[in-house]
Structures are given as C-alpha cells and as structure tokens.
Amino acid sequence: MSDATRDLIRRGKEAFSTHLPDQDFDAHVWEISSLKEQQSISNERIYWTRRGSQDDSLPKHFAAPIKAACMVDLQSCTNLVFRSNAARMLWEHLRKKEDPSSSFRWERLTEGDLRGMEREMLEHWAESTTYKTCTAWSRVLEVLSTASVIRPMDIKWQTSRPEDSERYTLDGQEKRKEEYLPSDRSIEAVAHIYSNDDLDLDSSDRLLSCVTALLTATGLRVGEILTLPVNPLSKSTRNGDTRWHLQYWPEKKGAASKEQDLLHLTERPASLVREAIDEIQEITGSARQRARVLEQNPGRAPLKNLSLDDLITTKEAQGLLGLSSGSPTPRVRRTGIPILEQDREGYKRPEYLCRVADIEEYLQERQEELWTVNPDGKDKQLFSESLFVIENNFFHRTRDMESPLIKTVNHQHIGDFLSGRWTSCEEEHEEAEQRNGEWMRCVVPSIFRRLGLKEKSGSPIEMTSHQFRHWLTTNLVDSGIPDGIIARWQNRSHGGDISAYKHVTRKDRLREVKDAIESGRMKGEIADIYFAMSEDIRDAWLDSHLQQIHVTHMGLCTHDFSSSPCPHHLQCLNGCSDFLFDPADEKQRENVEEIVEGTREAIQLAEEQEGDNAQWMRHQKKVLSNGLKVLESEEDSESSHTQPFEGEGSNFEPFDDDDFIPMEEAMEKLDEETES
C-alpha cells in the first residue's frame, strides 16, 4: 500500500469518527441512520460486501480507500449508497477479469476497468440507476486521483440520462406512462385493502394501508407524509364554506426544510385524510407516550414501574428487549448485558437476573435521536409531536410485546408493503424469480402477494410510493385543470415542474382527435381539409398539423405553441378557431355553463357600478356571447367534436388573473368527476 493511500485512509478514518462515532471503519456494514437528513430516508445501513451478499466482505485493501474517499467527501446518504454499490460492481468486474484478491493495486486501475464496471451495472440495473451510480462514482475517482491513489482519469461514461433521448418522443412518453403510472388494477387493490374490514389486517398493515390513503388523497411525496406532525389537519371557514389544510414539511426546498407548508384540500379528499389520520393516531398512540417519557428523561431509557436498582429475570428482560423466543438467558447474554446468578432455596440451578440499570444503558445506546425533522433548525419536531412514530419491533411479525425503543416509519417499510423486498440469487431454484434478467428471491413479500392480489395478466401487483403522486397529477391534468393551478396547489416553485408527472401523452390526444375526424364526428376546418386531400397524404398531413393536443376544462386545444403563443392568452371563449368542443362531454358543457352564468352575473354587477369599464365590458360580453354560441352548437350538433369559432380571427385582448376558475372550484369539479 502506497504512502498516499495510507494518508487518505488516515484522513478518512478521522472524518469517519466524526460522522459515525462508535462504529468500526473496517466493518463490512455501516449504520447510517444518524446521517439521515430526514428520518424517513429508507437506507439505514450500507454494505461493503460482494454483490448479492450481506456477509462476504470486500477485501480491505480494495474497500478502505473507497470508504475513506466517501468520508472525506461525504455528501448525502443516497450518494453514499450509490458509491458503495459502485464499489461492489467494480469488484465484480475485477473478479471476472482475474483473481484480484492479492494482485489488485489501485495505481493500476484503468479506464477499461471502469468501462467494465459500467457494463456490469447495465447487465443488472436500469439505465437510470446506472447513470446515477456512475455520476456518484465520478466524485470518488476525483478524490482518489487528488490524493494520488490513482492516476488522473477523465472518464466519459457511456450511459446517458435516459430521459434525454426518450422523454419527449412518442415511444418514450408511452414507456414513461407504463413505468411511472400505477395500473388501474393496483389502485383498485389499494382501495380494497384500505376499505375492506373483512381482511382482518394486523396493526402494521393497517398503518401502511393508511399511508397509501394519504398518498392517494394528497399527492405528497412519501417523505412528506412520514414526517407529518401528529395533528396536521386544520380547517377554516370562508363565506360559509369549510376549507381544510394539511400542514407538512416540504421536501426539495432545502435540506431538512426549515418551514412548513399547507396543502389545501376540498371536502372529499379531506374526509379520507381525516379518517386515515384518526386511525394512525390510534395505532401509534402508545409509541408517542413512550416518546414523551424518553424526552422528559434525557440520558435515560426508563422502564415502567421499575427503578435502576431493581433486579428482573432474564425471561422478563427478554420480553422488554423484544428478543426472539426461546431460552432467555443465552439470548440476553448475547446482548452483552451482565447477568447475575442468585441461589434459590430448593433448586440446584441458580436464578439468572439482570439489573434494570444495565438494561437501561443497553437501550439508551440503541435509541435514535428524538426528532424527525430539523435536528438543527429552530422548529425541531420531536417524536412525541410526530404522527408516524412506532415501537422498535412494530414491524416484527412475531413481536410479543411493545418495545421500550421507538423509531419512525421509513421508506423501506413502505417499499416492503407495496413491492416486497428482493435479494440476488446465484442460480435458479424453487423460490427464485427472474427480475430484469437476474434471479432474485423474495425475502419480504408485499401485501399484494400475501393477499393473492394480481394484475389482469396474472402477475403479482407491485407499486412504488411515488406512483401515487404521478397518478394524482395525471388525473388532475386529464380533468382539464391548468398546470399553473396544479403546481400552485402542490406548492411547486414553477408550473413547468409538473411536466415530469404528466402522463397524458400527445399520442393519446392525437389518437382521440384522429378517430373523431375519420369517423366524421368532428366538424370544422381541420376535418374539411383532411377529407379534401387524397388518402395517401391525409394522415401524414394531419400528424404534422396536429403537433400538440391540449386538454382544457372546456374541451381540446389544437394550437401549436412551439410555433406561436396562444393568441387568446388561454381564453378559449374569446373566439379561438383552435378550440374543439365535445357536445357529448357533459363535464365540458357544465364548465361552459358555469362560465356563462358567472360572466352574466359579473356583467349585471358591473352595469350597476359607476366608472370607466367599457373595455372590460366589451371583453365580458364577447365571452358571454361566445359561451352561448358553444352551448347552442351543442344543442344543434350531432357530431362529437365541433369548432364553435371556425374561421374567426385571433384578435388578442388582455385578461385578468381573476378570470380563471378558482382552484377550490376546480378541485371540487375533480372531486365530482372522480367520485366513483
């Protein structure tokens, strides 16, 4: 080992003792829960082991410089996981190339080795995962080269961000839709599990089912759900209407968000949220009580009705510590807690006892810090103030009693519930399944597997927590709610931020309009031109003409925004020839009727007021007239899609933000539409 390598390892160990005190730098497992920016982050440990194993350690001479580089340049838990996974793949490549156990030297590392590592990743992982892992590994290489452990390398990874080439193509949109949106069957299964009392689920499954209800109703990220305060829901009254507000800690607004946000809810989703929160509070109540005891006794882990000098049997200690069933004394002894022997009259064998003080010390060393978010912020949220606090053994299927240790629900618990947990297998066997070309074994079955719930194809249902956010956003877009309103409701910084969550593809819209034209249901300029053309070119012309199909709350828009902005500033009833109205769509008709009635009332009120409002009145009267025209065309038309303002000009008139439908009304419309 070179002097440069030794120096880097020395600096890495110094950083390690700061970031992860009381742990062994050379251990093959690192507990990283104390590094978590938020308690909901799923990875509580990382493994410096060979791929597919949690016990077979990477050689010390190979792993130590990587560990040191990670500690010297510690960024985030997620980044640390990517780096350790890259190390495992690099070793896998080196092992296939030759036996590196004794021959490997860091100064001999080549670009070819890194290419081999990348190929190894692509054989087992998705391109997106490979891209993120290689990006994280680039910084490790930089630290190693700066420390003169390896020669400088300017590696250009072959794997690019998949969305760069696919995201905006039709095939890419369809692929993203399948990947990011849950199936209809999975949504039905989630609803079935949550609402069916006959399933007789235990408290842990009920808790996680309530999480899915909150994800469905709010569209929040799972980390935002899991850090909710214990009483997050409030209400206010405005103009006789009750409005509900969900208080939460937003992610992606700086590390460990310093301020809470409010998510505004209409009555129907608020009702579901209230019901789920009530059940969660009941399930987690005992853990919150335990949290208060711990918070009121810093430096201790007091046990109920016991003093420090009391002696209890190893059987009692076994229960308090949540140890597995069986002979209590050997199991307690393995914890390192001192065991005392006390003679018993009439018995040959002594009684085995433990001091409560020793048990408390053991528990205290294993208790997490008592907060969920903002450990360094002024608005610290303790476990006793948190909704998702649980006993340490809460998810143990064989738990006999409550544990005196507490923690919070994390991503891993949700992932296990929705998708299960899998581990690699060396070869095919009875319990193995092929997943992404690799043999895997299910070590924790999902709730769907345990209940026998399957997709229509017969395959087991699997979901991710983030799919709920994509599903809700797509439904909002599908219902005609403008992107700006959705973004504002979800507390996004920019309206364009929802683009990654919209899975109503251009292909879907094109297909709808083309079918309507070809069947003769859609009337207007576009249809007339289409049928006037010869059959061999009309489809190509239509595809090129209908570059974009947009959904509005009143119908469809065929305007190509890539060539010019909206001539009517998003006011379809200002007389736009690109506006398509579907007379068969009752919801579109209701929305137009509401706008017509609202405009008529506004005009009547304005006429009673004095002042110079001539320009505003002209605009409102035009909107009223065009709205009535749309409704008249509906009454007289036998077609499915019409162009109410066919051939009319595109004179721009300014508008006011107040002309938009208020967010609350838009959400209420969505509630009504999705009631079933």
Side-chain angles (χ1 to χ4, degrees):
M1 185 179 294
S2 67
D3 291 340
T5 303
R6 291 191 185 93
D7 182 66
L8 175 62
I9 293 173
R10 177 188 58 77
R11 291 190 288 120
K13 287 183 176 180
E14 290 176 355
F16 181 85
S17 63
T18 300
H19 297 302
L20 295 172
D22 304 323
Q23 292 197 53
D24 182 7
F25 177 86
D26 295 321
H28 69 279
V29 181
W30 286 0
E31 298 285 343
I32 61 172
S33 55
S34 60
L35 297 177
K36 296 187 292 184
E37 296 89 349
Q38 293 182 318
Q39 295 290 337
S40 59
I41 291 177
S42 61
N43 299 97
E44 296 188 357
R45 60 186 61 85
I46 58 173
Y47 295 88
W48 300 102
T49 57
R50 284 192 43 195
R51 189 185 67 82
S53 172
Q54 295 184 352
D55 302 307
D56 190 1
S57 303
L58 293 171
K60 184 177 178 180
H61 71 284
F62 171 78
I66 303 174
K67 293 178 177 180
C70 290
M71 286 292 101
V72 169
D73 183 58
L74 183 61
Q75 295 181 347
S76 68
C77 290
T78 301
N79 196 272
L80 188 57
V81 172
F82 281 131
R83 294 175 178 186
S84 65
N85 287 338
R88 303 168 87 177
M89 285 302 190
L90 177 58
W91 185 255
E92 192 71 12
H93 162 71
L94 295 173
R95 188 180 66 84
K96 291 180 179 179
K97 177 182 171 184
E98 58 182 349
D99 182 11
S101 300
S102 59
S103 62
F104 175 78
R105 295 175 61 183
W106 275 105
E107 53 266 33
R108 295 179 181 174
L109 188 73
T110 67
E111 284 88 347
D113 293 328
L114 299 177
R115 296 273 184 240
M117 177 190 73
E118 186 178 15
R119 289 193 299 272
E120 196 72 33
M121 294 178 187
L122 289 170
E123 287 181 12
H124 299 91
W125 300 341
E127 286 190 17
S128 58
T129 304
T130 300
Y131 171 81
K132 294 175 183 176
T133 307
C134 289
T135 301
W137 188 248
S138 293
R139 181 57 188 164
V140 174
L141 295 175
E142 185 177 339
V143 174
L144 292 174
S145 64
T146 302
S148 299
V149 175
I150 64 173
R151 62 179 179 83
M153 295 183 185
D154 186 21
I155 184 72
K156 302 293 185 185
W157 304 109
Q158 298 299 307
T159 308
S160 59
R161 191 190 297 268
E163 67 181 28
D164 290 342
S165 58
E166 297 183 3
R167 184 168 179 171
Y168 302 105
T169 66
L170 293 181
D171 289 341
Q173 288 177 341
E174 293 292 336
K175 183 178 179 181
R176 280 176 55 80
K177 184 176 180 179
E178 293 177 5
E179 180 179 356
Y180 287 99
L181 280 184
S183 66
D184 292 341
R185 194 67 166 253
S186 63
I187 293 295
E188 293 170 1
V190 166
H192 170 73
I193 294 168
Y194 176 75
S195 60
N196 194 339
D197 294 334
D198 294 336
L199 295 178
D200 195 26
L201 302 177
D202 65 17
S203 58
S204 61
D205 282 334
R206 283 304 307 169
L207 178 67
L208 296 177
S209 181
C210 289
V211 172
T212 66
L214 295 179
L215 291 169
T216 304
T218 66
L220 293 178
R221 301 175 180 89
V222 68
E224 295 166 340
I225 294 292
L226 298 181
T227 54
L228 286 173
V230 63
N231 292 304
L233 205 59
S234 60
K235 64 179 180 180
S236 61
T237 302
R238 181 179 176 184
N239 299 327
D241 296 328
T242 300
R243 306 187 179 199
W244 294 90
H245 321 283
L246 187 72
Q247 186 177 357
Y248 73 101
W249 297 95
E251 293 182 350
K252 299 195 175 182
K253 285 194 176 183
S257 307
K258 302 300 181 186
E259 296 182 358
Q260 292 181 321
D261 271 339
L262 290 177
L263 183 74
H264 304 284
L265 302 169
T266 54
E267 180 57 40
R268 289 194 69 250
S271 175
L272 177 59
V273 170
R274 288 199 308 272
E275 181 184 87
I277 287 175
D278 287 345
E279 185 170 0
I280 296 167
Q281 288 174 338
E282 182 178 353
I283 294 173
T284 59
S286 60
R288 231 172 345 268
Q289 291 177 0
R290 178 61 180 170
R292 295 188 190 97
V293 173
L294 295 173
E295 292 162 4
Q296 293 166 4
N297 294 271
R300 289 191 58 196
L303 299 172
K304 190 176 181 181
N305 299 325
L306 292 172
S307 61
L308 291 172
D309 295 329
D310 288 343
L311 296 175
I312 62 174
T313 66
T314 52
K315 180 68 175 177
E316 293 170 321
Q318 181 185 29
L320 286 172
L321 298 173
L323 302 176
S324 58
S325 58
S327 299
T329 301
R331 283 163 173 75
V332 175
R333 196 184 303 277
R334 283 197 289 269
T335 67
I337 296 174
I339 295 178
L340 308 175
E341 296 184 8
Q342 181 174 288
D343 293 332
R344 295 181 293 176
E345 187 176 349
Y347 291 87
K348 293 182 179 181
R349 299 181 63 184
E351 187 176 27
Y352 298 100
L353 306 170
C354 301
R355 291 176 65 246
V356 170
D358 294 328
I359 295 176
E360 276 201 23
E361 183 179 357
Y362 173 85
L363 294 172
Q364 183 187 342
E365 292 174 351
R366 284 152 181 81
Q367 177 57 55
E368 295 182 8
E369 294 291 335
L370 297 177
W371 56 64
T372 56
V373 293
N374 289 347
D376 301 318
K378 62 179 181 179
D379 297 323
K380 185 184 293 185
Q381 179 175 295
L382 301 176
F383 276 29
S384 62
E385 302 166 339
S386 303
L387 183 61
F388 287 98
V389 59
I390 54 175
E391 290 86 11
N392 209 47
N393 63 344
F394 182 77
F395 289 105
H396 297 179
R397 298 292 173 184
T398 58
R399 67 179 188 271
D400 296 324
M401 62 181 298
E402 296 176 356
S403 169
L405 301 179
I406 57 172
K407 62 181 181 181
T408 55
V409 182
N410 60 42
H411 286 68
Q412 184 68 66
H413 300 136
I414 309 299
D416 290 348
F417 185 76
L418 294 174
S419 300
R421 194 186 310 171
W422 298 79
T423 186
S424 299
C425 299
E426 293 295 332
E427 57 186 17
E428 179 183 0
H429 58 81
E430 185 178 349
E431 298 180 355
E433 295 182 14
Q434 273 214 316
R435 299 169 64 86
N436 298 320
E438 182 178 6
W439 286 106
M440 307 283 288
R441 178 173 61 87
C442 183
V443 293
V444 179
S446 70
I447 183 66
F448 307 112
R449 282 182 176 264
R450 286 187 276 125
L451 296 179
L453 301 175
K454 299 182 178 181
E455 298 281 4
K456 292 180 179 178
S457 63
S459 61
I461 293 173
E462 290 185 9
M463 301 178 70
T464 68
S465 60
H466 208 56
Q467 284 183 320
F468 292 95
R469 186 170 175 86
H470 285 262
W471 175 80
L472 181 59
T473 303
T474 299
N475 279 341
L476 293 172
V477 172
D478 232 355
S479 301
I481 298 176
D483 289 4
I485 290 178
I486 299 173
R488 196 158 60 245
W489 177 63
Q490 295 182 333
N491 286 319
R492 297 182 180 275
S493 302
H494 306 285
D497 289 348
I498 75 166
S499 60
Y501 294 84
K502 295 163 59 176
H503 302 288
V504 182
T505 67
R506 171 175 163 262
K507 190 175 182 178
D508 295 333
R509 306 304 180 209
L510 284 172
R511 188 183 299 112
E512 179 182 353
V513 175
K514 284 185 67 176
D515 289 345
I517 291 176
E518 292 171 351
S519 64
R521 299 194 312 269
M522 194 185 89
K523 310 295 183 183
E525 288 182 328
I526 296 176
D528 292 343
I529 296 173
Y530 176 83
F531 286 111
M533 291 183 171
S534 60
E535 294 185 3
D536 58 333
I537 64 171
R538 61 174 53 158
D539 287 339
W541 173 84
L542 187 63
D543 285 341
S544 64
H545 186 76
L546 299 179
Q547 290 298 310
Q548 297 290 335
I549 303 294
H550 311 279
V551 177
T552 76
H553 58 290
M554 292 180 289
L556 299 178
C557 173
T558 64
H559 187 77
D560 183 5
F561 289 92
S562 65
S563 61
S564 63
C566 175
H568 296 283
H569 214 325
L570 305 180
Q571 293 197 92
C572 306
L573 296 184
N574 203 26
C576 181
S577 59
D578 291 324
F579 169 54
L580 300 178
F581 178 69
D582 186 355
D585 192 319
E586 185 177 345
K587 200 65 183 177
Q588 290 182 21
R589 179 188 177 192
E590 290 177 359
N591 289 338
V592 174
E593 288 177 342
E594 286 191 18
I595 293 174
V596 167
E597 290 304 313
T599 304
R600 182 182 283 118
E601 292 177 4
I603 292 173
Q604 292 174 350
L605 290 172
E607 288 176 341
E608 299 173 359
Q609 304 295 321
E610 296 181 359
D612 185 11
N613 57 7
Q615 182 180 359
W616 183 89
M617 287 289 288
R618 285 196 303 271
H619 172 71
Q620 295 300 320
K621 288 181 178 180
K622 183 177 182 180
V623 171
L624 176 61
S625 174
N626 287 337
L628 293 171
K629 185 176 181 179
V630 169
L631 296 176
E632 289 171 0
S633 70
E634 185 276 330
E635 293 174 356
D636 298 337
S637 175
E638 297 179 356
S639 65
S640 179
H641 288 80
T642 65
Q643 289 175 283
F645 313 119
E646 178 183 349
E648 296 192 12
S650 300
N651 297 323
F652 172 77
E653 291 188 23
F655 77 107
D656 193 289
D657 284 339
D658 293 338
D659 291 338
F660 282 114
I661 296 178
M663 179 183 69
E664 291 83 1
E665 293 183 22
M667 295 302 297
E668 289 173 0
K669 297 179 186 300
L670 175 64
D671 289 342
E672 296 171 2
E673 184 174 284
T674 59
E675 186 174 359
S676 61

